[in-house]
């Protein structure tokens, strides 16, 4: 049983139809997250977790927030951040960017504040910039992810963080270069 001892998440297309499942391990086994295999209906590089719920809010706020995981998006939604989607455990792809472009030209990348998240954010910036997005990157403190941050602080702290600690593409690249 491929998904044994995993918390299951239905993955839906932008219309809300279930196209696959993702499972998060309940113990310490690897991989931590596991998706259904690719099929003619499900291609993870062309899907965004939560888009079916977030699409209207992305249009309303004229901005999409891209996060790394299912729990980040679910927690964000519970805390009132309804324009968040996740890239299904893959680095952001051009196909996912083009899918988002239907709803807004503005993106805030809110990946985990660890080394893998920083690398993924940097790759995502290039892809989104080439598609024509206005991109900002949120810098979460203390190697936190959005789920951790929202549970430890709250929605108000998130809003302040976005206002005060999100960097433009140029600022992010300069800071990354200075860090090296």
């Amino acid at each position: 049983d491929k998904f044994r001892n995993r918390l299951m998440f239905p993955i839906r297309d932008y219309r809300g139809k279930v196209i696959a499942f993702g499972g998060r391990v309940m113990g310490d086994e690897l991989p931590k997250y596991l998706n259904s295999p690719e099929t003619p209906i499900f291609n993870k590089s062309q899907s965004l977790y939560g888009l079916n719920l977030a699409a209207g809010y992305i249009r309303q706020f004229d901005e999409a927030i891209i996060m790394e995981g299912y729990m980040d998006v679910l927690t964000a939604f519970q805390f009132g951040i309804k324009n968040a989607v996740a890239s299904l455990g893959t680095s952001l792809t051009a196909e996912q960017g083009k899918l988002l472009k239907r709803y807004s030209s503005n993106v805030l990348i809110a990946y985990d504040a660890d080394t893998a998240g920083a690398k993924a954010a940097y790759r995502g910036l290039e892809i989104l910039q080439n598609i024509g997005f206005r991109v900002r990157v949120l810098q979460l403190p203390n190697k936190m992810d959005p789920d951790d941050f929202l549970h430890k602080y709250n929605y108000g702290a998130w809003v302040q963080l976005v206002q005060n600690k999100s960097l433009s593409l140029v600022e992010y690249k300069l800071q990354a270069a200075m860090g090296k």
Side-chain angles (χ1 to χ4, degrees):
D1 182 7
K2 181 176 184 164
F3 291 111
R4 179 179 295 275
N5 294 325
R6 291 180 182 271
L7 179 61
M8 300 302 297
F9 299 88
I11 299 170
R12 300 174 185 270
D13 66 11
Y14 66 94
R15 295 176 303 248
K17 305 278 187 207
V18 175
I19 57 173
F21 293 94
R24 188 196 190 286
V25 72
M26 299 300 287
D28 295 329
E29 299 92 48
L30 293 174
K32 186 174 178 181
Y33 287 95
L34 185 64
N35 291 327
S36 295
E38 303 242 337
T39 67
I41 296 171
F42 173 61
N43 181 328
K44 69 181 179 181
S45 67
Q46 296 176 355
S47 303
L48 290 163
Y49 183 77
L51 184 60
N52 61 307
L53 298 175
Y57 294 103
I58 292 169
R59 280 194 178 117
Q60 179 182 343
F61 299 122
D62 193 25
E63 182 175 62
I65 302 172
I66 303 175
M67 298 178 173
E68 281 188 73
Y70 313 118
M71 291 306 299
D72 294 327
V73 171
L74 292 172
T75 299
F77 203 86
Q78 288 175 332
F79 277 80
I81 302 158
K82 302 197 185 290
N83 56 328
V85 297
S87 54
L88 293 172
T90 61
S91 295
L92 188 71
T93 66
E95 291 86 3
Q96 290 167 328
K98 289 173 188 169
L99 185 58
L100 272 181
K101 191 75 168 163
R102 297 178 188 174
Y103 306 98
S104 179
S105 293
N106 300 300
V107 169
L108 174 68
I109 295 178
Y111 283 167
D112 299 0
D114 57 14
T115 304
K119 287 180 182 177
Y122 202 82
R123 284 190 306 269
L125 285 169
E126 296 296 324
I127 290 169
L128 294 170
Q129 182 186 26
N130 290 338
I131 296 172
F133 282 95
R134 286 179 296 284
V135 184
R136 295 179 302 141
V137 179
L138 182 63
Q139 296 195 300
L140 291 159
N142 305 324
K143 297 192 178 188
M144 296 179 100
D145 62 21
D147 177 43
D148 295 331
F149 183 88
L150 286 164
H151 278 107
K152 183 169 183 175
Y153 302 107
N154 59 31
Y155 174 80
W158 175 270
V159 171
Q160 284 188 334
L161 188 71
V162 169
Q163 290 173 349
N164 299 325
K165 293 287 185 177
S166 59
L167 303 174
S168 71
L169 177 65
V170 172
E171 291 170 323
Y172 183 77
K173 285 184 172 183
L174 280 172
Q175 195 171 75
M178 287 174 22
K180 291 179 182 176

